[in-house]
Amino acid sequence: MARRERVMRMSVEQPLWRALAGYRVLTMLYAIGFFTTAYSGFARPWLAVAYYAVLFVWTLATLPKVSSAASCTKRFLTADLTIALTGILLTPFADAHERVMDGGPTLPSIWTAGSVLAFAVKGGWRWAAVASTLVAVANLVERGSPARDTVHNVILVWVASIAIGYVVEVARASERTLARALEIEAATRERERLARDIHDSVLQVLAMVQRRGAVIGGEAAELGRMAGEQEVALRTLVSGGLVPVSRVSEDTAEGAVVRAVDEPEGNDPEGNDPEGPVDLRALLAPYAGSLVNLAEPGAPVPLAPLAARELAAAVGAALDNVRKHVGEHARAWILVEDEPDEVIVTVRDEGPGIPEGRLAEAEGEGRLGVALSIRGRLRELGGTAELISVPGQGTEVELKAPKKTTSSTTARGKAAE
């Protein structure tokens, strides 16, 4: 089945870039509107008109430059700040001297803050500090003295831009941490899926070859010995938790892009198979035989396809453990209970039971049948697997799978397909 990659984009920067683009347009219109109302008070209005014409064209033409971090280059930032500083320094030549001394606005007015904020969003608080310092120097040169209003405006722009730059840096670090955590989670689930599949197939075949080779003897014994060595090596690899080379996350200029899981095409957003639920009884029926008794309701037991397959595979793993630890001719019983909110499947054998501490010891040796093939599968479904063993009275494995799974559980389950 063809697969497509679901991509989750997470970026706090993109809303900031959109807000910055809107801010630049609005403040440009504000500056031009203010000049229009005070046109008669300017000493050289033609100089202001020329500057506002440049500001109008520049602001609209460079909107694509403030759409993302990738398009906002250092060259653009330098040119943008130059236009803002030029407007500040031109103010004494275009406006009346009295209004300049009274604390009147500069030609770019609050548009200048947009240029400084672009530095903050692009490069963090250090870039913002440099840009806001240059604006402060230009304002002091324009006024000729550190007036109260000038100092107030300079400090306001300085603090705001540095704070925004710091927040952006923290957000980027958080996104990288989250992307790495999702990467590790995805790799861990993939490793567990491979471990379950290996345990259900390759490891059991190698163990059987080892046992049969020891019984037959001769060259078969040597083959069995080699199979045993490979089984130990493979168990060590499976339980060692090697994390593959990352193909899960990558950092882009617009934020972290996390490739969460591969999901089959054609599935609906909730992860349900378009063919509908599966009758669990049909998947468990092949396990029934002369040694395995299957007791199930007289009506269908519907489950989502993924849940049904994983639950049936867990039952198969439990029966494999019965044959391996109790004997090839051991009897087992499977009981299926269809509850309103969940399906309960119980597998019971007639063996001697599991000694206390044996499961933990087996996991330490790399034998992960119960941990991965049974409990791991049910955990992926949002269910549980409980083992009840009394020495001399056999072992009972109770598997509980919910009929309805959350979207997150479904997405995790797809990683196991």
Side-chain angles (χ1 to χ4, degrees), residues 286-366:
Y287 295 125
S290 58
L291 298 176
V292 179
N293 182 36
L294 174 62
E296 39 90 359
V301 182
L303 270 180
L306 171 64
R309 289 194 298 269
E310 291 295 287
L311 187 54
V315 172
L319 293 175
D320 288 338
N321 285 336
V322 172
R323 287 190 292 269
K324 180 177 179 181
H325 299 291
V326 182
E328 293 291 340
H329 302 288
R331 293 188 59 82
W333 292 264
I334 304 175
L335 173 62
V336 181
E337 301 175 79
D338 189 6
E339 301 293 338
D341 298 326
E342 63 183 359
V343 174
I344 303 175
V345 180
T346 305
V347 180
R348 183 170 60 86
D349 62 51
E350 59 179 5
I354 302 176
E356 185 177 356
R358 176 53 187 157
L359 290 179
E361 180 183 347
E363 290 187 24
E365 296 173 353

Side-chain angles (χ1 to χ4, degrees), residues 88-89 91-92 97 100-104 106 135-148 150-151:
I88 295 174
L89 298 177
T91 301
H97 179 73
V100 172
M101 291 297 101
D102 290 340
T106 60
V135 170
V137 172
N139 275 279
L140 292 176
V141 171
E142 181 256 344
R143 289 294 299 273
S145 62
R148 184 181 64 180
T150 302
V151 173

Side-chain angles (χ1 to χ4, degrees), residues 34 53 57 97 104 112 143 162 180 183 205 307 333 389 411:
F34 182 84
V57 174
H97 179 73
T112 304
R143 289 294 299 273
I162 291 177
R180 179 56 181 164
E183 174 185 349
V205 171
W333 292 264
S389 181

Side-chain angles (χ1 to χ4, degrees), residues 2 5 13 18 52 74 102 141 157 246 267 277 291 305 309 349 370:
E5 193 175 57
E13 291 184 46
R18 289 194 292 266
Y52 284 125
K74 293 182 180 179
D102 290 340
V141 171
V157 173
S246 171
N267 286 3
L291 298 176
R309 289 194 298 269
D349 62 51
V370 174

